[in-house]
Amino acid sequence: MANVFDGAPSSALQSKWIWFVGLGMLLLICGLIAVGNLLLATVVSVYSVGMLMVFGGIVYLIHAFQVRGWEHILFWALSGVLYVLAGIFAFINPILTSAALTLFLAVALLVAGVFRVFIGRRMKPLKGWGWIVASGVVTALAGFIIALGWPVNSLWVLGLFLAVDLILQGWTMIAFGIGLRSVQ
């Protein structure tokens, strides 16, 4: 029996090809729904981040009482409380939270893009360095464009990112499932 990591799928994985296609179709449908209502998709993505922050804050609070020493307990407990409050705030005011997250996304893309350009230029003697630079330029440009349209675009940018991700993952799962089916 071949291992998935050896380049050939196992028969157990291959027999589940229809599940990959079904999951892909579900993700694709969700992505198309998200494209149809980017504001709703943005709110859904903010609620997802909010849930993760509340969960992370609770884990921090539990961890706070597992450590020794008041200074450590205070640090972890304060971190946990701040995470929980930020998560709750995401539920209370998802539009304002989307503005903050969109600005953070713009800054992160700008920084990552500039860093990638810097790294790519340092790799100049190596083959393929231009692709790294080009990737950095596109990433930085995306961050710059998002920052230029902020805060108005914060109503749809996160939803668009979610929609594109769902569509790409959907197509990927469909293609993977069909590929599994055709392997003998």
Side-chain angles (χ1 to χ4, degrees):
M1 181 184 299
N3 187 331
V4 174
F5 300 108
D6 292 335
S10 69
S11 61
L13 186 60
Q14 192 174 0
S15 68
K16 306 290 188 215
W17 71 271
I18 193 71
W19 289 99
F20 288 101
V21 171
L23 174 61
M25 290 174 59
L26 179 65
L27 290 170
L28 189 59
I29 290 167
C30 289
L32 293 173
I33 291 169
V35 165
N37 192 344
L38 292 177
L39 177 61
L40 178 64
T42 294
V43 171
V44 167
S45 64
V46 167
Y47 284 167
S48 298
V49 170
M51 284 189 305
L52 291 172
M53 292 181 85
V54 168
F55 178 74
I58 291 170
V59 170
Y60 266 65
L61 288 169
I62 291 169
H63 178 70
F65 296 101
Q66 306 299 318
V67 296
R68 302 278 187 240
W70 279 105
E71 64 279 354
H72 298 292
I73 291 173
L74 188 61
F75 168 76
W76 289 106
L78 182 60
S79 296
V81 167
L82 290 174
Y83 262 96
V84 169
L85 289 175
I88 291 170
F89 182 76
F91 285 98
I92 292 171
N93 196 339
I95 302 302
L96 184 58
T97 304
S98 75
L101 290 173
T102 301
L103 182 60
F104 178 75
L105 175 66
V107 170
L109 288 172
L110 271 167
V111 170
V114 168
F115 183 71
R116 224 177 277 156
V117 167
F118 174 75
I119 293 298
R121 296 215 7 98
R122 298 216 12 144
M123 297 174 73
K124 193 170 186 174
L126 301 174
K127 187 176 182 177
W129 69 272
W131 286 106
I132 296 170
V133 171
S135 162
V137 168
V138 169
T139 301
L141 185 60
F144 182 71
I145 291 169
I146 291 170
L148 278 179
W150 187 84
V152 175
N153 63 4
S154 63
L155 297 174
W156 57 267
V157 165
L158 298 176
L160 180 64
F161 273 61
L162 176 63
V164 168
D165 183 60
L166 288 169
I167 290 169
L168 289 175
Q169 288 300 315
W171 280 117
T172 300
M173 288 294 132
I174 291 169
F176 183 70
I178 291 171
L180 281 174
R181 180 177 178 230
S182 65
V183 173
Q184 297 300 328

